[in-house]
Amino acid sequence: MLSAAIVAGILVLAAQKPGAMRFELKTIGFQLEHGEVSARHVPATMAGGVAVFDYDRDGRPDIFFTNGANLATLKKDDEKYRNRLFRNEGKGELRDVTTKAGLAGAGYDHGAAVGDYDNDGWPDLFVAGVHHNTLYHNNGDGTFSDVSEKAGLNKRDEKFGPLWAIAGVWADVNNDGKLDLFVVNYLQWDYATEPLCEYRGAADYCSPRSYKGLPNQIYLNRGGGVFEDVSESWGVRAQVGKGMGGGMADFDLDGRPDIFVTNDGSYNSLFHNIGGKFEEVAFPKGVALMEDGNFISGMGTDFRDYDNDGYPDIAFVALEKQTFPLLKNMGGKECRETTGQSGMRQLSMSMSGFGVGLYDLDNDGWKDLFVTRGDVLSRPMPGTTVEQHNTVFRNLGATGKWEALTGEAGLDAAAPARHRGLAFGDLDGDGRVDIVTTALARPAEIWMNRTAAAGHWLEVALEGTRSNRDGIGAVVKVTTKRGSQYNHITTSVGYASSSHGPVHFGLGADEKAETVEIRWPSGAVQVLRDVRGDRVVAVKEER
């Protein structure tokens, strides 16, 4: 058992204006071991997914970290490579319960995706990895069982051989009340035949141009713990890419979940759900390339409404000199890039990012953008900063502009690093969203949200009956005296990471919501009126 002493807090003291964003750094007894050796093998720079979810349903979010392995064998042949689960004991204490839970893992793991696939009320866990994925069933007693073989998730691909998955996206793509699984696959990779790349006589990671891509996969949930690979019939297998991030939202509000995938150095993909299959529409919808027409290294993504117009927008991150693109949803018809006019281009041009998430971090009613930063390379090249601080971009509301905060928000309390995954949740129950991030060969960072004079807030926890138990895909509209804002239930956010919990709304100065409207995946609509803020409201779908 780890005592409270293992969670060390470091508070950087500084003058703080009312409402200014501020984070306190806490460290935890986990370090991401990615297996980096002198001959650079590309999986080692892509590690680091994390999940925040209440696995034991005690009301306190817990933290799961994926971890690497020996790259030559893809085995966790050293204790340092174990995945880790930390139980939130409250009062700042996090206890390592990995062994009891059965989540140490066996291979080189990258991503985590949380979703209750069997609707039993206990959140399950999908772990994506190099040449092997794992589905863990939550037994409801503090333990998990590996049910991958029964689920049918690791059948060898006859054309591409072993697949390398970065992330998973849970979504009920056919609206039958059971969560299906979309798997984001990256590169064709083999340890023995991997190309070696050098810069000034020293090895470093090759660009994705040195590798062939892979198709993504979609598994339909057939019930009883069994999944069927329908990638070909659903139109997914025909699209070969180099997937890094996946986000789920109903792009055109037709009642069916769509999937956006960032690709590393190639065209992005937007899989439009037309019922019974996906049609790939990235080009006609304006999300395949950015406005300058150049390929960029698309990393993590979030697919969420950031301008409060009711349509989910797209944010993702890339490397230095490539910017962090923002794609505004124009009424479900297409997207328009606003990276330049919003100020994001100038703010992010010198940054490299891996993880990104849209959450209202100061509770003012507008979703902010948190980015885990760090380059893909291990050694600096001219014009490249490898190790970087994380940054939060404050959403300035109706102006459409953003403000970049790093040291101003206390994010320089940790040393610059090659940051990767991130996940979100209110770890201490104070109504302010906290953030967990990882970094290669560094201790994980927990950023406790200490924003002073933050606004009122409301969290909505859904329980589906006709819809899937988690309510994933449900759209929630909250209206206060100042106007309306929108969010939807999804656990896929950031880079290779997952955030499972109530959907969060900042209310600003308003102490209550006049209405809370929920549009369930089943098509049912529920409306709550005069909902007091500063609490979590549980809503069960009416039958």
Side-chain angles (χ1 to χ4, degrees), residues 308 360 362-367 456 482 484-485 505-508:
N308 290 340
D360 188 351
D362 55 2
N363 289 339
D364 67 349
W366 297 91
K367 298 177 190 69
H456 295 285
R482 296 186 304 146
S484 297
Q485 55 179 298
F505 292 87
L507 303 182

Side-chain angles (χ1 to χ4, degrees), residues 171-243:
D172 185 0
V173 298
N174 55 1
N175 285 344
D176 67 350
K178 300 187 293 291
L179 286 178
D180 310 298
L181 180 64
F182 187 98
V183 179
V184 178
N185 290 318
Y186 188 37
L187 302 176
Q188 298 180 47
W189 177 81
D190 181 79
Y191 179 86
T193 61
E194 181 172 25
L196 297 179
C197 297
E198 292 186 347
Y199 174 69
R200 292 183 176 176
D204 214 328
Y205 297 105
C206 298
S207 84
R209 292 190 300 272
S210 300
Y211 307 85
K212 295 179 180 179
L214 291 170
N216 301 305
Q217 295 165 286
I218 178 73
Y219 291 92
L220 286 188
N221 187 340
R222 296 306 191 189
V226 176
F227 290 78
E228 179 186 0
D229 187 343
V230 295
S231 307
E232 186 167 354
S233 62
W234 272 69
V236 172
R237 186 174 173 83
Q239 309 297 324
V240 175
K242 299 174 181 179

Side-chain angles (χ1 to χ4, degrees), residues 64-69 74-85 97-99 101-110 125 127-128 132-136 144-146 148:
F64 172 79
F65 296 100
T66 64
N67 211 352
L74 297 181
K75 302 294 185 183
K76 295 186 186 295
D77 54 14
D78 190 308
E79 281 283 305
K80 69 180 182 179
Y81 290 127
R82 296 191 335 145
N83 300 333
R84 302 285 287 280
L85 176 67
V97 294
T98 308
T99 300
L103 290 179
Y108 201 112
D109 295 319
H110 276 280
L125 180 65
V127 177
H132 185 82
N133 300 323
T134 311
L135 181 63
Y136 293 102
F144 291 77
S145 296
D146 181 347
S148 312

Side-chain angles (χ1 to χ4, degrees), residues 264-330:
D264 191 359
S266 72
Y267 304 109
N268 297 321
S269 299
L270 179 58
F271 293 98
H272 179 226
N273 190 338
I274 57 175
K277 68 178 299 183
F278 287 110
E279 104 184 296
E280 206 291 307
V281 296
F283 269 102
K285 299 302 182 184
V287 302
L289 289 171
M290 299 307 94
E291 57 191 5
D292 61 9
N294 293 322
F295 287 136
I296 66 174
S297 300
M299 302 295 186
T301 187
D302 203 357
F303 194 176
R304 206 184 298 268
D305 178 17
Y306 60 69
D307 57 1
N308 290 340
D309 67 353
Y311 286 88
D313 310 297
I314 294 172
F316 67 101
V317 291
L319 301 182
E320 238 170 305
K321 301 181 179 63
Q322 296 179 349
T323 77
F324 299 163
L326 296 174
L327 302 172
K328 176 177 168 55
N329 188 332
M330 307 302 292

